[in-house]
Amino acid sequence: SSGINAEYGNEARDLHFNAIGIFLTNKARQISAAYDEKKDAKSLNQLKQFVSKLPHIQAEKRALEIQTSIAGLIRKGLDKHYYESFAVEQELREGLDVEKMNTFIEELIYKQEPLTKILRLIAVQCIAGDGLRPKLLEFYKREIVQAYGYHHLITFDRLEKCKLIYLQEKNQVISYPTLRSKLKLCVDNVNEKDPTDVSYVYSGYAPLTVRLINWLTQGSQRDGLTYLDDIVKYLPKPCFGKKQKSATGT
Protein backbone atom coordinates (compact mmCIF):
# COMPACT_ATOMS: atom_id res chain seq x y z
CA SER A 1 0.00 0.00 0.00
CA SER A 2 2.79 2.45 0.90
CA GLY A 3 4.49 1.65 -2.42
CA ILE A 4 1.34 2.47 -4.38
CA ASN A 5 0.82 5.66 -2.37
CA ALA A 6 4.40 6.71 -3.16
CA GLU A 7 3.79 5.88 -6.82
CA TYR A 8 0.69 8.10 -6.89
CA GLY A 9 2.61 10.85 -5.12
CA ASN A 10 5.47 10.67 -7.61
CA GLU A 11 3.02 10.97 -10.50
CA ALA A 12 1.19 13.92 -8.95
CA ARG A 13 4.14 15.91 -7.62
CA ASP A 14 5.27 17.30 -11.01
CA LEU A 15 1.78 18.14 -12.25
CA HIS A 16 0.49 21.70 -12.45
CA PHE A 17 -2.14 22.30 -9.76
CA ASN A 18 -4.75 22.84 -12.51
CA ALA A 19 -4.06 19.28 -13.73
CA ILE A 20 -4.36 17.53 -10.35
CA GLY A 21 -8.15 17.23 -10.55
CA ILE A 22 -8.01 15.47 -13.92
CA PHE A 23 -5.26 13.15 -12.64
CA LEU A 24 -7.31 12.10 -9.59
CA THR A 25 -10.49 11.70 -11.68
CA ASN A 26 -8.71 9.40 -14.15
CA LYS A 27 -7.34 7.29 -11.29
CA ALA A 28 -10.82 7.03 -9.77
CA ARG A 29 -12.22 5.85 -13.10
CA GLN A 30 -9.49 3.22 -13.43
CA ILE A 31 -10.21 1.89 -9.94
CA SER A 32 -13.96 1.88 -10.63
CA ALA A 33 -13.37 -0.05 -13.85
CA ALA A 34 -11.23 -2.56 -11.95
CA TYR A 35 -14.06 -3.14 -9.43
CA ASP A 36 -16.52 -3.57 -12.31
CA GLU A 37 -14.55 -6.61 -13.48
CA LYS A 38 -16.38 -8.56 -10.76
CA LYS A 39 -19.67 -7.97 -12.58
CA ASP A 40 -18.18 -9.29 -15.81
CA ALA A 41 -16.80 -12.44 -14.20
CA LYS A 42 -18.83 -15.31 -15.67
CA SER A 43 -16.70 -18.25 -14.59
CA LEU A 44 -15.03 -19.44 -11.43
CA ASN A 45 -11.60 -18.87 -12.99
CA GLN A 46 -12.46 -15.25 -13.83
CA LEU A 47 -13.72 -14.72 -10.29
CA LYS A 48 -10.48 -16.12 -8.87
CA GLN A 49 -8.50 -13.72 -11.07
CA PHE A 50 -10.54 -10.81 -9.74
CA VAL A 51 -10.03 -11.92 -6.12
CA SER A 52 -6.27 -12.13 -6.70
CA LYS A 53 -6.30 -8.50 -7.94
CA LEU A 54 -8.52 -7.26 -5.11
CA PRO A 55 -5.76 -6.41 -2.57
CA HIS A 56 -3.99 -4.29 -5.19
CA ILE A 57 -7.23 -2.53 -6.18
CA GLN A 58 -8.03 -1.79 -2.52
CA ALA A 59 -4.51 -0.45 -2.00
CA GLU A 60 -4.95 1.84 -5.01
CA LYS A 61 -8.25 3.06 -3.58
CA ARG A 62 -6.60 3.93 -0.24
CA ALA A 63 -3.75 5.69 -2.05
CA LEU A 64 -6.27 7.69 -4.08
CA GLU A 65 -8.09 8.73 -0.90
CA ILE A 66 -4.81 9.93 0.63
CA GLN A 67 -3.82 11.92 -2.49
CA THR A 68 -7.31 13.40 -2.73
CA SER A 69 -7.10 14.53 0.90
CA ILE A 70 -3.66 16.08 0.29
CA ALA A 71 -4.94 17.90 -2.80
CA GLY A 72 -7.93 19.16 -0.81
CA LEU A 73 -5.70 20.55 1.95
CA ILE A 74 -3.46 22.28 -0.59
CA ARG A 75 -6.45 23.72 -2.42
CA LYS A 76 -7.88 24.98 0.88
CA GLY A 77 -4.61 26.77 1.57
CA LEU A 78 -4.79 28.58 -1.78
CA ASP A 79 -7.19 31.32 -0.75
CA LYS A 80 -8.60 34.17 -2.82
CA HIS A 81 -5.59 36.38 -2.10
CA TYR A 82 -3.22 33.72 -3.43
CA TYR A 83 -4.95 33.65 -6.81
CA GLU A 84 -5.16 37.45 -6.90
CA SER A 85 -1.43 37.75 -6.10
CA PHE A 86 -0.65 35.14 -8.74
CA ALA A 87 -2.66 37.06 -11.35
CA VAL A 88 -0.92 40.34 -10.48
CA GLU A 89 2.50 38.65 -10.74
CA GLN A 90 1.59 37.40 -14.21
CA GLU A 91 0.50 40.88 -15.30
CA LEU A 92 3.73 42.41 -14.00
CA ARG A 93 5.90 39.75 -15.67
CA GLU A 94 4.17 40.53 -18.94
CA GLY A 95 5.03 44.21 -18.50
CA LEU A 96 1.53 45.57 -17.82
CA ASP A 97 1.53 48.93 -15.94
CA VAL A 98 4.91 48.30 -14.31
CA GLU A 99 5.64 52.02 -14.00
CA LYS A 100 2.44 52.86 -12.12
CA MET A 101 1.39 52.40 -8.53
CA ASN A 102 -0.19 48.95 -8.32
CA THR A 103 -3.63 49.21 -6.71
CA PHE A 104 -3.52 45.59 -5.52
CA ILE A 105 -0.21 46.16 -3.71
CA GLU A 106 -1.69 49.32 -2.16
CA GLU A 107 -4.73 47.33 -1.02
CA LEU A 108 -2.52 44.67 0.58
CA ILE A 109 -0.65 47.36 2.51
CA TYR A 110 -3.88 48.95 3.80
CA LYS A 111 -5.13 45.52 4.88
CA GLN A 112 -1.75 44.86 6.55
CA GLU A 113 -1.28 41.56 4.79
CA PRO A 114 2.01 39.69 5.44
CA LEU A 115 4.81 42.06 4.45
CA THR A 116 6.80 39.38 2.64
CA LYS A 117 3.92 38.97 0.16
CA ILE A 118 3.89 42.72 -0.51
CA LEU A 119 7.66 43.05 -0.86
CA ARG A 120 7.69 40.09 -3.25
CA LEU A 121 5.23 41.85 -5.56
CA ILE A 122 7.16 45.12 -5.37
CA ALA A 123 10.35 43.24 -6.28
CA VAL A 124 8.61 41.60 -9.26
CA GLN A 125 7.35 45.01 -10.40
CA CYS A 126 10.86 46.41 -9.99
CA ILE A 127 12.45 43.68 -12.13
CA ALA A 128 9.75 43.85 -14.81
CA GLY A 129 10.16 47.63 -15.08
CA ASP A 130 13.96 47.61 -14.83
CA GLY A 131 13.69 49.51 -11.58
CA LEU A 132 11.09 51.71 -9.93
CA ARG A 133 10.61 55.40 -10.53
CA PRO A 134 11.71 57.52 -7.53
CA LYS A 135 8.19 58.76 -6.74
CA LEU A 136 6.80 55.20 -6.89
CA LEU A 137 9.49 53.79 -4.60
CA GLU A 138 8.95 56.65 -2.15
CA PHE A 139 5.20 55.96 -2.19
CA TYR A 140 5.69 52.27 -1.34
CA LYS A 141 8.22 53.15 1.37
CA ARG A 142 5.94 55.72 2.96
CA GLU A 143 2.88 53.50 2.96
CA ILE A 144 4.73 50.46 4.35
CA VAL A 145 6.50 52.47 7.06
CA GLN A 146 3.17 54.00 8.17
CA ALA A 147 1.44 50.60 8.19
CA TYR A 148 4.20 48.33 9.53
CA GLY A 149 6.61 50.58 11.42
CA TYR A 150 9.63 52.82 10.87
CA HIS A 151 12.06 49.96 11.42
CA HIS A 152 11.19 48.75 7.91
CA LEU A 153 13.25 51.60 6.49
CA ILE A 154 16.12 49.24 7.33
CA THR A 155 14.28 46.48 5.43
CA PHE A 156 14.19 48.65 2.30
CA ASP A 157 17.83 49.61 2.76
CA ARG A 158 18.80 45.94 2.82
CA LEU A 159 16.62 45.10 -0.18
CA GLU A 160 18.23 47.93 -2.15
CA LYS A 161 21.71 46.74 -1.20
CA CYS A 162 20.78 43.26 -2.44
CA LYS A 163 19.46 44.79 -5.69
CA LEU A 164 16.04 43.24 -5.13
CA ILE A 165 14.50 46.71 -5.18
CA TYR A 166 16.22 49.57 -7.02
CA LEU A 167 15.63 52.83 -8.89
CA GLN A 168 15.46 53.22 -12.64
CA GLU A 169 18.59 54.74 -14.10
CA LYS A 170 18.57 57.56 -16.63
CA ASN A 171 19.16 56.53 -20.24
CA GLN A 172 19.44 52.88 -19.27
CA VAL A 173 18.81 50.12 -21.78
CA ILE A 174 15.54 48.44 -20.85
CA SER A 175 16.60 44.86 -20.30
CA TYR A 176 13.69 42.79 -18.99
CA PRO A 177 11.34 43.37 -21.99
CA THR A 178 14.22 42.45 -24.31
CA LEU A 179 15.01 39.28 -22.35
CA ARG A 180 11.32 38.41 -22.16
CA SER A 181 11.10 38.60 -25.94
CA LYS A 182 14.43 37.01 -26.93
CA LEU A 183 14.24 34.12 -24.47
CA LYS A 184 10.45 33.68 -24.63
CA LEU A 185 10.01 34.03 -20.89
CA CYS A 186 6.26 34.48 -21.27
CA VAL A 187 4.37 31.90 -23.31
CA ASP A 188 0.74 32.22 -24.39
CA ASN A 189 -1.72 29.32 -24.44
CA VAL A 190 0.51 26.97 -22.45
CA ASN A 191 -0.88 23.47 -21.98
CA GLU A 192 -0.81 22.84 -18.23
CA LYS A 193 -2.34 19.37 -18.52
CA ASP A 194 -0.07 17.99 -21.27
CA PRO A 195 2.98 20.28 -21.10
CA THR A 196 5.66 20.55 -23.75
CA ASP A 197 7.47 23.56 -22.29
CA VAL A 198 8.84 24.34 -18.83
CA SER A 199 6.68 27.49 -18.70
CA TYR A 200 3.71 25.29 -17.67
CA VAL A 201 5.09 25.21 -14.12
CA TYR A 202 4.33 28.92 -13.66
CA SER A 203 1.25 29.05 -15.92
CA GLY A 204 3.02 30.58 -18.87
CA TYR A 205 6.25 31.95 -17.37
CA ALA A 206 9.67 30.34 -17.83
CA PRO A 207 12.34 31.44 -15.30
CA LEU A 208 15.27 33.28 -16.84
CA THR A 209 17.87 30.83 -15.49
CA VAL A 210 15.99 27.88 -16.99
CA ARG A 211 15.71 29.60 -20.37
CA LEU A 212 19.45 30.35 -20.35
CA ILE A 213 20.18 26.67 -19.75
CA ASN A 214 17.74 25.75 -22.56
CA TRP A 215 19.50 28.17 -24.89
CA LEU A 216 22.99 26.89 -24.03
CA THR A 217 22.08 23.21 -24.37
CA GLN A 218 20.33 23.67 -27.71
CA GLY A 219 23.35 25.09 -29.52
CA SER A 220 24.93 28.45 -30.23
CA GLN A 221 22.06 29.79 -32.34
CA ARG A 222 18.55 30.46 -31.14
CA ASP A 223 16.08 32.88 -32.71
CA GLY A 224 18.81 34.56 -34.73
CA LEU A 225 21.22 35.02 -31.81
CA THR A 226 24.74 33.84 -32.56
CA TYR A 227 26.59 34.53 -29.33
CA LEU A 228 25.75 34.41 -25.66
CA ASP A 229 26.99 38.02 -25.48
CA ASP A 230 23.75 39.08 -27.13
CA ILE A 231 21.93 37.90 -24.03
CA VAL A 232 24.51 38.67 -21.34
CA LYS A 233 24.53 42.39 -22.08
CA TYR A 234 20.89 42.61 -20.99
CA LEU A 235 21.38 40.71 -17.71
CA PRO A 236 21.65 42.51 -14.36
CA LYS A 237 25.22 43.51 -13.63
CA PRO A 238 27.79 42.41 -12.64
CA CYS A 239 27.98 39.30 -14.81
CA PHE A 240 30.58 37.42 -16.79
CA GLY A 241 30.79 34.71 -19.40
CA LYS A 242 33.29 31.94 -19.99
CA LYS A 243 33.53 29.72 -23.06
CA GLN A 244 34.76 26.18 -22.58
CA LYS A 245 35.77 23.82 -25.38
CA SER A 246 34.41 20.30 -25.38
CA ALA A 247 36.55 17.18 -25.74
CA THR A 248 35.92 17.29 -29.51
CA GLY A 249 37.28 20.84 -29.68
CA THR A 250 33.94 22.49 -30.54
PDB file of all heavy atoms in Angstrom, residues 212 215-216 220 226-233 240-243:
ATOM      1  N   LEU A 212      18.034  30.261 -19.990  1.00  0.00           N
ATOM      2  CA  LEU A 212      19.447  30.353 -20.349  1.00  0.00           C
ATOM      3  C   LEU A 212      20.049  28.965 -20.538  1.00  0.00           C
ATOM      4  O   LEU A 212      20.811  28.716 -21.474  1.00  0.00           O
ATOM      5  CB  LEU A 212      20.219  31.122 -19.281  1.00  0.00           C
ATOM      6  CG  LEU A 212      20.057  32.643 -19.290  1.00  0.00           C
ATOM      7  CD1 LEU A 212      20.725  33.253 -18.066  1.00  0.00           C
ATOM      8  CD2 LEU A 212      20.634  33.248 -20.564  1.00  0.00           C
ATOM      9  N   TRP A 215      18.821  27.536 -23.768  1.00  0.00           N
ATOM     10  CA  TRP A 215      19.501  28.170 -24.889  1.00  0.00           C
ATOM     11  C   TRP A 215      20.903  27.595 -25.075  1.00  0.00           C
ATOM     12  O   TRP A 215      21.323  27.305 -26.191  1.00  0.00           O
ATOM     13  CB  TRP A 215      19.556  29.677 -24.653  1.00  0.00           C
ATOM     14  CG  TRP A 215      20.102  30.461 -25.810  1.00  0.00           C
ATOM     15  CD1 TRP A 215      19.435  30.849 -26.923  1.00  0.00           C
ATOM     16  CD2 TRP A 215      21.438  30.938 -25.942  1.00  0.00           C
ATOM     17  NE1 TRP A 215      20.272  31.548 -27.756  1.00  0.00           N
ATOM     18  CE2 TRP A 215      21.510  31.625 -27.177  1.00  0.00           C
ATOM     19  CE3 TRP A 215      22.583  30.872 -25.153  1.00  0.00           C
ATOM     20  CZ2 TRP A 215      22.676  32.216 -27.631  1.00  0.00           C
ATOM     21  CZ3 TRP A 215      23.747  31.470 -25.609  1.00  0.00           C
ATOM     22  CH2 TRP A 215      23.787  32.132 -26.828  1.00  0.00           C
ATOM     23  N   LEU A 216      21.612  27.400 -23.958  1.00  0.00           N
ATOM     24  CA  LEU A 216      22.985  26.889 -24.033  1.00  0.00           C
ATOM     25  C   LEU A 216      23.029  25.435 -24.486  1.00  0.00           C
ATOM     26  O   LEU A 216      23.923  25.024 -25.218  1.00  0.00           O
ATOM     27  CB  LEU A 216      23.670  27.033 -22.679  1.00  0.00           C
ATOM     28  CG  LEU A 216      24.035  28.464 -22.264  1.00  0.00           C
ATOM     29  CD1 LEU A 216      24.453  28.496 -20.805  1.00  0.00           C
ATOM     30  CD2 LEU A 216      25.146  29.001 -23.136  1.00  0.00           C
ATOM     31  N   SER A 220      24.475  27.060 -30.296  1.00  0.00           N
ATOM     32  CA  SER A 220      24.927  28.451 -30.230  1.00  0.00           C
ATOM     33  C   SER A 220      23.974  29.418 -30.915  1.00  0.00           C
ATOM     34  O   SER A 220      24.122  30.621 -30.789  1.00  0.00           O
ATOM     35  CB  SER A 220      26.305  28.582 -30.876  1.00  0.00           C
ATOM     36  OG  SER A 220      26.242  28.180 -32.230  1.00  0.00           O
ATOM     37  N   THR A 226      23.575  34.663 -32.246  1.00  0.00           N
ATOM     38  CA  THR A 226      24.736  33.842 -32.563  1.00  0.00           C
ATOM     39  C   THR A 226      25.692  33.701 -31.399  1.00  0.00           C
ATOM     40  O   THR A 226      26.453  32.761 -31.352  1.00  0.00           O
ATOM     41  CB  THR A 226      25.491  34.426 -33.755  1.00  0.00           C
ATOM     42  OG1 THR A 226      25.819  35.801 -33.482  1.00  0.00           O
ATOM     43  CG2 THR A 226      24.640  34.365 -35.014  1.00  0.00           C
ATOM     44  N   TYR A 227      25.664  34.607 -30.456  1.00  0.00           N
ATOM     45  CA  TYR A 227      26.586  34.531 -29.331  1.00  0.00           C
ATOM     46  C   TYR A 227      25.842  34.800 -28.020  1.00  0.00           C
ATOM     47  O   TYR A 227      24.867  35.549 -27.983  1.00  0.00           O
ATOM     48  CB  TYR A 227      27.726  35.544 -29.462  1.00  0.00           C
ATOM     49  CG  TYR A 227      28.605  35.340 -30.665  1.00  0.00           C
ATOM     50  CD1 TYR A 227      28.457  36.131 -31.795  1.00  0.00           C
ATOM     51  CD2 TYR A 227      29.565  34.329 -30.670  1.00  0.00           C
ATOM     52  CE1 TYR A 227      29.242  35.932 -32.916  1.00  0.00           C
ATOM     53  CE2 TYR A 227      30.358  34.129 -31.794  1.00  0.00           C
ATOM     54  CZ  TYR A 227      30.185  34.934 -32.916  1.00  0.00           C
ATOM     55  OH  TYR A 227      30.955  34.720 -34.028  1.00  0.00           O
ATOM     56  N   LEU A 228      26.342  34.193 -26.977  1.00  0.00           N
ATOM     57  CA  LEU A 228      25.752  34.410 -25.660  1.00  0.00           C
ATOM     58  C   LEU A 228      25.853  35.873 -25.244  1.00  0.00           C
ATOM     59  O   LEU A 228      25.045  36.362 -24.455  1.00  0.00           O
ATOM     60  CB  LEU A 228      26.457  33.520 -24.619  1.00  0.00           C
ATOM     61  CG  LEU A 228      25.899  33.534 -23.198  1.00  0.00           C
ATOM     62  CD1 LEU A 228      24.454  33.078 -23.204  1.00  0.00           C
ATOM     63  CD2 LEU A 228      26.729  32.646 -22.291  1.00  0.00           C
ATOM     64  N   ASP A 229      26.812  36.605 -25.804  1.00  0.00           N
ATOM     65  CA  ASP A 229      26.988  38.016 -25.481  1.00  0.00           C
ATOM     66  C   ASP A 229      25.727  38.819 -25.796  1.00  0.00           C
ATOM     67  O   ASP A 229      25.452  39.825 -25.140  1.00  0.00           O
ATOM     68  CB  ASP A 229      28.165  38.604 -26.259  1.00  0.00           C
ATOM     69  CG  ASP A 229      29.485  37.985 -25.847  1.00  0.00           C
ATOM     70  OD1 ASP A 229      29.525  37.412 -24.741  1.00  0.00           O
ATOM     71  OD2 ASP A 229      30.455  38.060 -26.612  1.00  0.00           O
ATOM     72  N   ASP A 230      24.975  38.380 -26.787  1.00  0.00           N
ATOM     73  CA  ASP A 230      23.745  39.084 -27.135  1.00  0.00           C
ATOM     74  C   ASP A 230      22.724  39.030 -26.007  1.00  0.00           C
ATOM     75  O   ASP A 230      21.847  39.881 -25.927  1.00  0.00           O
ATOM     76  CB  ASP A 230      23.121  38.474 -28.396  1.00  0.00           C
ATOM     77  CG  ASP A 230      23.963  38.741 -29.630  1.00  0.00           C
ATOM     78  OD1 ASP A 230      24.510  39.849 -29.731  1.00  0.00           O
ATOM     79  OD2 ASP A 230      24.091  37.831 -30.466  1.00  0.00           O
ATOM     80  N   ILE A 231      22.824  38.023 -25.168  1.00  0.00           N
ATOM     81  CA  ILE A 231      21.926  37.899 -24.027  1.00  0.00           C
ATOM     82  C   ILE A 231      22.554  38.517 -22.783  1.00  0.00           C
ATOM     83  O   ILE A 231      21.900  39.242 -22.034  1.00  0.00           O
ATOM     84  CB  ILE A 231      21.584  36.418 -23.754  1.00  0.00           C
ATOM     85  CG1 ILE A 231      20.735  35.852 -24.896  1.00  0.00           C
ATOM     86  CG2 ILE A 231      20.846  36.249 -22.432  1.00  0.00           C
ATOM     87  CD1 ILE A 231      19.378  36.497 -25.047  1.00  0.00           C
ATOM     88  N   VAL A 232      23.836  38.235 -22.562  1.00  0.00           N
ATOM     89  CA  VAL A 232      24.509  38.667 -21.336  1.00  0.00           C
ATOM     90  C   VAL A 232      24.440  40.170 -21.144  1.00  0.00           C
ATOM     91  O   VAL A 232      24.294  40.660 -20.028  1.00  0.00           O
ATOM     92  CB  VAL A 232      25.990  38.197 -21.341  1.00  0.00           C
ATOM     93  CG1 VAL A 232      26.765  38.833 -20.198  1.00  0.00           C
ATOM     94  CG2 VAL A 232      26.054  36.674 -21.242  1.00  0.00           C
ATOM     95  N   LYS A 233      24.498  40.937 -22.225  1.00  0.00           N
ATOM     96  CA  LYS A 233      24.529  42.394 -22.080  1.00  0.00           C
ATOM     97  C   LYS A 233      23.223  42.946 -21.508  1.00  0.00           C
ATOM     98  O   LYS A 233      23.186  44.083 -21.032  1.00  0.00           O
ATOM     99  CB  LYS A 233      24.838  43.057 -23.420  1.00  0.00           C
ATOM    100  CG  LYS A 233      23.785  42.871 -24.485  1.00  0.00           C
ATOM    101  CD  LYS A 233      24.255  43.492 -25.799  1.00  0.00           C
ATOM    102  CE  LYS A 233      23.229  43.307 -26.910  1.00  0.00           C
ATOM    103  NZ  LYS A 233      23.722  43.845 -28.197  1.00  0.00           N
ATOM    104  N   PHE A 240      29.445  37.780 -15.947  1.00  0.00           N
ATOM    105  CA  PHE A 240      30.581  37.424 -16.789  1.00  0.00           C
ATOM    106  C   PHE A 240      30.240  36.165 -17.564  1.00  0.00           C
ATOM    107  O   PHE A 240      29.310  35.425 -17.209  1.00  0.00           O
ATOM    108  CB  PHE A 240      31.844  37.199 -15.940  1.00  0.00           C
ATOM    109  CG  PHE A 240      31.756  35.991 -15.051  1.00  0.00           C
ATOM    110  CD1 PHE A 240      32.224  34.754 -15.480  1.00  0.00           C
ATOM    111  CD2 PHE A 240      31.203  36.080 -13.784  1.00  0.00           C
ATOM    112  CE1 PHE A 240      32.139  33.635 -14.672  1.00  0.00           C
ATOM    113  CE2 PHE A 240      31.115  34.964 -12.959  1.00  0.00           C
ATOM    114  CZ  PHE A 240      31.578  33.742 -13.414  1.00  0.00           C
ATOM    115  N   GLY A 241      30.983  35.917 -18.616  1.00  0.00           N
ATOM    116  CA  GLY A 241      30.787  34.714 -19.401  1.00  0.00           C
ATOM    117  C   GLY A 241      32.115  34.020 -19.650  1.00  0.00           C
ATOM    118  O   GLY A 241      33.163  34.669 -19.723  1.00  0.00           O
ATOM    119  N   LYS A 242      32.065  32.714 -19.746  1.00  0.00           N
ATOM    120  CA  LYS A 242      33.286  31.940 -19.994  1.00  0.00           C
ATOM    121  C   LYS A 242      32.948  30.848 -20.991  1.00  0.00           C
ATOM    122  O   LYS A 242      31.980  30.107 -20.817  1.00  0.00           O
ATOM    123  CB  LYS A 242      33.811  31.329 -18.702  1.00  0.00           C
ATOM    124  CG  LYS A 242      35.101  30.559 -18.887  1.00  0.00           C
ATOM    125  CD  LYS A 242      35.599  29.990 -17.557  1.00  0.00           C
ATOM    126  CE  LYS A 242      36.888  29.201 -17.751  1.00  0.00           C
ATOM    127  NZ  LYS A 242      37.378  28.636 -16.475  1.00  0.00           N
ATOM    128  N   LYS A 243      33.734  30.755 -22.046  1.00  0.00           N
ATOM    129  CA  LYS A 243      33.527  29.722 -23.058  1.00  0.00           C
ATOM    130  C   LYS A 243      34.480  28.577 -22.817  1.00  0.00           C
ATOM    131  O   LYS A 243      35.664  28.780 -22.590  1.00  0.00           O
ATOM    132  CB  LYS A 243      33.736  30.312 -24.450  1.00  0.00           C
ATOM    133  CG  LYS A 243      32.723  31.389 -24.813  1.00  0.00           C
ATOM    134  CD  LYS A 243      32.993  31.966 -26.180  1.00  0.00           C
ATOM    135  CE  LYS A 243      31.991  33.080 -26.502  1.00  0.00           C
ATOM    136  NZ  LYS A 243      32.260  33.688 -27.838  1.00  0.00           N
TER     137      LYS A 243
END
